[in-house]
Amino acid sequence: MKDSNHNKGADYWTQRISEQEMPALCSTVKTLEKLAKDDVSSLAILGRSVMHDNALTSRILKVANSAIYNKGISQVTTVSRAAVVLGFDTIRNICITAKLLSSLLESKGLSEPVYQRLLHLMGRAFQAAMLAKMMLKDHDEELQEEVFIAALLYHLGESAFWSMGGEVTEQLDARLSATSAAESNSVVREQLGTSFKQLSLGIAKTWGLGEVLVKSLINPDERTPEIRAIFLANKISELMQQQPLDLPTLNQRIKQAATMLGVEGDEFKGQMIRCSHATRKLADSYGAKVLIDYLPSTEALLLSDDTEQERPVRQPDIDLQLKKLRELTDCAISRANFNEVIGITLDGILDGLGMERCAVLLLSPNRKRLQPRLVVGDDAELMKNRFVVELDSNKSVFSEAIDLKKAMFVDAPLSEKWRFYLDAELLEHTSAAGFMLAPLVIDNKVIGLLYGDRHSSNRTISADEFERFTHFGQLTNVCLSVSIGQ
């Protein structure tokens, strides 16, 4: 027997979501849209309209004062003041985003599979919003804000549907779980009498969510920068979240986005990684920490070129190792400068020891962070953009190498032996097959670490290779101490 909600159509679901499921969000959006037409009185009214909602006010102010929006100005303490400082469009979008996230995340009575589906969808939408805004960073702020909110709400119909909970969502979730991606749209249409895209369009029009969102839903292939950014940001975020990954299609979309921005593919990937870090921080500011684990993983970016060309596997070269060690000895005699010494060391580790990535990670002035100074090998640009190690109060293998001034060989990162020394973020940065660290020491003070691994091929590193790596580190420190002491 069919559920009574089957085959109702877009109008039914739009009305139900607007009036029964999400009336507070609908009301907030409509109020903000009315205020947008009256800039003079809108600022004070905006402050009053959210004042009764302490949680919302708190989130708006936290986001307004975050590094992403507050560019060095003094902290704002009221919503109306935030609107004056940041502009009405920006504060309106912060308000809509905060209300949307709280409305969806606080949905009651969802089954675990439906809740997981909702979190994945929200994580993808939040990343797409930040990515679309980043793609238009050379356009005016008003357009960036419009694109952010449109990309965020691009799948609002689907998010709102899952947030309802109940038998109808559980039935559809079960059917979609047993259906291929290619057939999912027809299953949704059969059960609801409409598509999720049509539902998003119905809500966008009913709530007055702006021309850019409506245009992006009606004509996603339009070639204007804003519609193109929304479309590509959503496609890329979706592809990065897919399991298994469709690497050729992901690579194609990344190339399209890079071409649109007039940059190389690797440069755009670097921008995406920085954008992903900013997205994590912003989710925290919005009080949506739960979403951080559901944001699309940047790990896909490291794989996305592998389908085009098989990388040659670097093998150890004993003759080259000896040559580079002799060159370092010469550097100590001639008191060569930092860059010359480090260049020889990295060449020796990369091509002599047969590593696939190696880097010099230097400590920040406050010694709370390690950041790449020089990186060579596979995916060097990506590593330089993403490999930042926070040295907080928790012990890690990186902080141990610094504190003990000792080289470290992490032979099996996923083993019990290293469980307390590597958190999820460090495991994402490093190679699952193992890696090596050696301290860079000048005048008995650690200034950073040498790093080496075989990330691309996932080959293991031998104890003998670690010993040679340590030798390179020791000779490098001799050279640096002589050079600085001249």
Side-chain angles (χ1 to χ4, degrees):
M1 181 178 145
K2 282 194 172 183
D3 186 281
S4 59
N5 288 311
H6 274 65
N7 218 14
K8 293 282 190 179
D11 289 345
Y12 166 80
W13 293 110
T14 298
Q15 186 178 0
R16 175 168 165 179
I17 287 165
S18 304
E19 295 176 5
Q20 296 177 43
E21 308 297 341
M22 305 177 83
L25 178 60
C26 175
S27 172
T28 299
V29 170
K30 285 184 173 179
T31 300
L32 290 168
E33 289 304 320
K34 279 180 196 164
L35 293 180
K37 297 176 176 64
D38 180 10
D39 287 342
V40 179
S41 61
S42 60
L43 302 182
I45 298 170
L46 174 63
R48 287 200 299 274
S49 68
V50 299
M51 206 185 302
H52 65 280
D53 190 333
N54 292 333
L56 179 60
T57 301
S58 172
R59 282 189 182 126
I60 291 169
L61 292 176
K62 191 172 180 187
V63 174
N65 285 309
S66 69
I68 290 167
Y69 285 103
N70 191 318
K71 308 296 183 187
I73 52 178
S74 57
Q75 285 222 328
V76 293
T77 54
T78 66
V79 173
S80 52
R81 175 62 186 158
V84 170
V85 172
L86 299 178
F88 183 78
D89 290 324
T90 298
I91 214 70
R92 178 186 60 186
N93 284 352
I94 291 174
C95 191
I96 290 174
T97 305
K99 196 70 178 173
L100 173 74
L101 291 173
S102 62
S103 296
L104 293 175
L105 291 173
E106 291 162 17
S107 303
K108 308 292 184 194
L110 306 190
S111 68
E112 187 59 27
V114 168
Y115 187 56
Q116 288 297 315
R117 195 181 279 276
L118 177 61
L119 288 176
H120 277 101
L121 189 60
M122 289 174 67
R124 196 172 87 205
F126 201 56
Q127 183 63 76
M130 287 290 281
L131 194 53
K133 183 178 178 180
M134 180 270 284
M135 288 169 70
L136 293 184
K137 63 181 183 294
D138 293 332
H139 292 70
D140 63 68
E141 283 188 17
E142 188 179 338
L143 186 62
Q144 289 180 40
E145 288 303 327
E146 281 187 75
V147 162
F148 176 91
I149 209 74
L152 179 73
L153 302 177
Y154 196 70
H155 294 286
L156 177 59
E158 185 174 356
S159 301
F161 172 79
W162 295 122
S163 74
M164 288 169 26
E167 189 182 353
V168 65
T169 62
E170 290 166 28
Q171 284 179 351
L172 185 56
D173 170 68
R175 287 191 66 188
L176 289 176
S177 298
T179 304
S180 69
E183 296 172 334
S184 59
N185 284 340
S186 58
V187 169
V188 172
R189 193 174 286 280
E190 181 191 328
Q191 182 134 346
L192 303 186
T194 187
S195 65
F196 282 139
K197 188 173 180 179
Q198 284 300 118
L199 182 52
S200 293
L201 185 59
I203 294 173
K205 287 180 173 177
T206 303
W207 294 12
L209 281 169
E211 196 177 308
V212 174
L213 176 57
V214 172
K215 271 188 185 175
S216 68
L217 290 165
I218 292 174
N219 192 7
D221 294 325
E222 193 176 305
R223 292 280 158 173
T224 57
E226 61 271 25
I227 303 302
R228 195 76 184 134
I230 293 164
F231 173 79
L232 285 171
N234 270 284
K235 285 292 180 189
I236 289 169
S237 296
E238 185 178 349
L239 286 161
M240 285 169 67
Q241 207 181 54
Q242 271 183 7
Q243 290 297 334
L245 287 166
D246 180 353
L247 291 176
T249 307
L250 175 60
N251 218 33
Q252 178 193 10
R253 293 299 187 193
I254 287 171
K255 280 184 178 174
Q256 289 171 346
T259 302
M260 174 186 161
L261 298 184
V263 298
E264 292 297 318
D266 273 357
E267 186 181 338
F268 181 67
K269 288 179 190 175
Q271 291 177 7
M272 285 176 66
I273 288 166
R274 289 192 290 275
C275 180
S276 181
H277 289 314
T279 306
R280 288 168 178 262
K281 289 177 181 173
L282 191 61
D284 189 15
S285 295
Y286 271 112
K289 265 189 180 175
V290 67
L291 279 192
I292 292 174
D293 290 338
Y294 294 86
L295 295 171
S297 170
T298 53
E299 199 66 32
L301 301 179
L302 297 175
L303 304 169
S304 56
D305 279 335
D306 291 356
T307 52
E308 293 182 10
Q309 186 178 345
E310 199 66 34
R311 287 187 173 127
V313 175
R314 289 184 178 86
Q315 298 294 344
D317 183 335
I318 298 293
D319 290 339
L320 185 62
Q321 287 176 42
L322 294 171
K323 178 174 182 285
K324 293 300 172 182
L325 289 169
R326 280 196 300 272
E327 287 178 17
L328 285 175
T329 304
D330 291 340
C331 283
I333 295 167
S334 65
R335 297 186 169 185
N337 64 37
F338 179 91
N339 287 338
E340 191 176 347
V341 170
I342 292 300
I344 292 168
T345 299
L346 292 180
D347 284 347
I349 295 169
L350 186 74
D351 295 317
L353 290 176
M355 293 300 117
E356 288 160 359
R357 295 191 307 182
C358 52
V360 169
L361 308 170
L362 292 185
L363 280 162
S364 61
N366 64 7
R367 302 182 72 80
K368 290 186 177 180
R369 179 182 294 125
L370 280 166
Q371 291 176 292
R373 166 74 180 272
L374 290 167
V375 182
V376 293
D378 299 340
D379 303 308
E381 190 62 31
L382 286 173
M383 187 179 184
K384 197 166 185 178
N385 279 311
R386 75 197 292 268
F387 205 118
V388 176
V389 179
E390 299 292 345
L391 301 170
D392 52 25
S393 55
N394 297 324
K395 282 286 183 190
S396 74
V397 68
F398 289 82
S399 59
E400 287 285 284
I402 292 166
D403 294 344
L404 300 174
K405 297 178 185 169
K406 181 182 171 186
M408 309 285 279
F409 179 26
V410 182
D411 52 353
L414 299 174
S415 67
E416 189 70 14
K417 176 183 175 183
W418 296 107
R419 187 162 64 93
F420 295 112
Y421 292 88
L422 290 165
D423 61 19
E425 192 165 353
L426 289 177
L427 287 170
E428 188 179 331
H429 287 326
T430 54
S431 170
F435 60 92
M436 305 177 290
L437 301 171
L440 293 170
V441 184
I442 298 177
D443 288 340
N444 209 34
K445 185 178 181 180
V446 177
I447 62 163
L449 296 174
L450 281 173
Y451 175 92
D453 73 15
R454 287 176 172 150
H455 184 78
S456 303
S457 66
N458 255 352
R459 291 176 299 144
T460 56
I461 299 166
S462 70
D464 181 60
E465 286 164 342
F466 171 60
E467 193 173 321
R468 291 165 193 250
F469 174 82
T470 304
H471 189 187
F472 269 105
Q474 290 167 340
L475 198 45
T476 299
N477 287 336
V478 171
C479 294
L480 294 179
S481 294
V482 169
S483 173
I484 298 296
Q486 62 181 318

